[in-house]
Amino acid sequence: MRFISVEAVSGVALLAAAAIALAWANSPWAGAYERLWHLKLGLGVAEYLPAHDLHFWVNDGLMSIFFLVVGLEIRREMHDGALSDPRVATLPIIAAVGGVVIPALLYVLINSDPAARRGWAIPTATDIAFAVGVLSLIGKDVPPALRLLLLTLAIIDDIAAIVVIAFFYSSGIAVGGLLIVAAGVLGVLALQCLGVQPALAYVLPGSVVWFGMLRAGVHPALAGVLLGLLTPATSAFGRVPRDRGARHAGAPPAERVQATLHPWVAFGIMPLFALANAGVSLQGLQLRAAAPLAVGAGIVSGLVLGKPIGIVLASFAAVRLKLCVLPTGVRWRHVVLVGLLGGIGFTMSIFIANLAFEDLPLLAAAKFAVLVASVLAATLGLLLGRAARPRPPV
């Protein structure tokens, strides 16, 4: 699947960007790093926006395109993918629920301070690019069904994160903003009814949806998800095979737009997000203080321990209750591997951390913990995957 191959390679770009950001933020040029992301960029609409520096445009603007690609993939999976067949989707759905609930509970148990507890959702996320990238490093002996299981679980995990952001990390909803969102949605639907094909025609109503969410108090990047779900997954030319549909002249709009944007997101926007947000100054860490230490401990334990425990226990319960069965070729050691790889939070975890904490010591501790936990989870997953590979006959 082209989506998996792009995600696998982009994990390397993400890792490189995160390493550069971390080194830059702790170098003699750390001041330049901070000044870069606080560079004012009004883009002609500054008077209408609450913030307009470069960091804002990366996190609230460009990440909308990231969420658009996520929304398009969800739309495709719901139409003719794993999420379209309840028998296939049951296991990753239940596993994803376990992988969200247990890390959140671990975090809350460790953090008693109300301010620190705002970060409960940070260890519930899974980074698709890193997780698929590590799985690809294990080798070709991995069962094909395992790759689909991991990808489907990560997509469902993204859906859960989107819901959490919308309901728990958005300010009070302003009705005026929702009216603007509705106007943008109507504009999209009107263009679709008129049979307008060029994707550029939808930029204006899509921008209206983004601006409306910003005004409504909902994180504007979520506009991408809404627009992705609104994109048709069928074509007047009939259904096209997924592995070549993006290159086919009659590919459905959802497939065509995703194929166009995905490389830009994977190799441009996501590494830029990592560069803008992974630059944690180690001098600014206050892990000796109670609250930052608890935040870090909650995130690391949630991602490294909570994720695999939740995913494995939920999967085991679902299979024992005969709600589903393990996919062909997948064994329980593979489910443990998926659980470990699910603990690679990175992109979405850092994104949620930015929403959860305004207090700089807590935010720095959270970002650093996400980096540590993601590296630990990736290392453990890689070691387990290599150890579980079938040995060649002597």
Side-chain angles (χ1 to χ4, degrees), residues 45-68:
V45 291
E47 59 183 299
Y48 303 107
L49 302 175
H52 48 275
D53 58 11
L54 183 56
H55 193 266
F56 168 84
W57 286 112
V58 171
N59 285 11
D60 296 61
L62 290 180
M63 285 300 285
S64 301
I65 305 176
F66 164 78
F67 279 107
L68 172 59

Side-chain angles (χ1 to χ4, degrees), residues 2 70 141 179 215 309 311 340 389 391:
R2 187 171 182 268
V70 171
D141 298 321
L179 293 176
R215 283 301 188 187
I309 291 173
I311 289 172
L340 288 171
R389 287 191 306 180
R391 298 179 180 178

Side-chain angles (χ1 to χ4, degrees), residues 29-292:
W29 303 279
Y33 178 84
E34 289 296 325
R35 288 192 298 271
L36 172 64
W37 303 112
H38 288 91
L39 183 66
K40 299 298 181 182
L41 293 177
L43 299 184
V45 291
E47 59 183 299
Y48 303 107
L49 302 175
H52 48 275
D53 58 11
L54 183 56
H55 193 266
F56 168 84
W57 286 112
V58 171
N59 285 11
D60 296 61
L62 290 180
M63 285 300 285
S64 301
I65 305 176
F66 164 78
F67 279 107
L68 172 59
V69 171
V70 171
L72 290 168
E73 182 63 17
I74 294 171
R75 180 71 183 92
R76 291 177 58 199
E77 292 291 337
M78 291 173 62
H79 176 66
D80 64 353
L83 299 182
S84 66
D85 187 348
R87 296 170 300 176
V88 178
T90 299
L91 178 61
I93 288 175
I94 295 176
V97 171
V100 169
V101 172
I102 300 301
L105 287 177
L106 274 178
Y107 183 92
V108 171
L109 287 174
I110 294 174
N111 288 271
S112 57
D113 182 75
R117 280 191 170 182
R118 275 188 53 81
W120 65 269
I122 297 173
T124 65
T126 297
D127 189 294
I128 296 178
F130 268 151
V132 173
V134 173
L135 186 63
S136 68
L137 294 176
I138 293 174
K140 298 180 180 180
D141 298 321
V142 174
L146 183 64
R147 299 178 188 274
L148 180 61
L149 176 62
L150 175 61
L151 179 62
T152 307
L153 185 146
I155 290 172
I156 297 168
D157 205 290
D158 277 347
I159 297 174
I162 289 164
V163 173
V164 166
I165 292 170
F167 284 94
F168 296 96
Y169 292 105
S170 295
S171 56
I173 304 298
V175 177
L178 293 181
L179 293 176
I180 298 175
V181 172
V185 170
L186 288 175
V188 171
L189 296 177
L191 291 176
Q192 291 177 357
C193 289
L194 293 173
V196 177
Q197 291 293 322
L200 289 177
Y202 293 86
V203 171
L204 179 58
S207 300
V208 172
V209 174
W210 181 89
F211 181 73
M213 286 197 168
L214 180 65
R215 283 301 188 187
V218 180
H219 199 281
L222 296 184
V225 179
L226 178 58
L227 295 171
L229 294 176
L230 288 173
T231 306
T234 57
S235 172
F237 298 95
R239 182 171 167 176
V240 182
R242 293 187 56 163
D243 58 348
R244 67 183 183 89
R247 299 187 298 272
H248 195 281
E255 199 162 335
R256 189 172 63 249
V257 174
Q258 186 195 40
T260 300
L261 293 178
H262 193 197
W264 291 95
V265 169
F267 301 112
I269 292 175
M270 290 176 67
L272 184 59
F273 174 83
L275 189 65
N277 291 278
V280 180
S281 174
L282 300 183
Q283 293 181 346
L285 286 177
Q286 300 178 9
L287 295 181
R288 292 184 178 181

Side-chain angles (χ1 to χ4, degrees), residues 280 285 287 292-293 295-296 299 360-370:
V280 180
L285 286 177
L287 295 181
L293 179 61
V295 166
I299 292 172
L360 292 181
L362 294 184
L363 180 58
K367 289 183 177 182
F368 183 69
V370 168

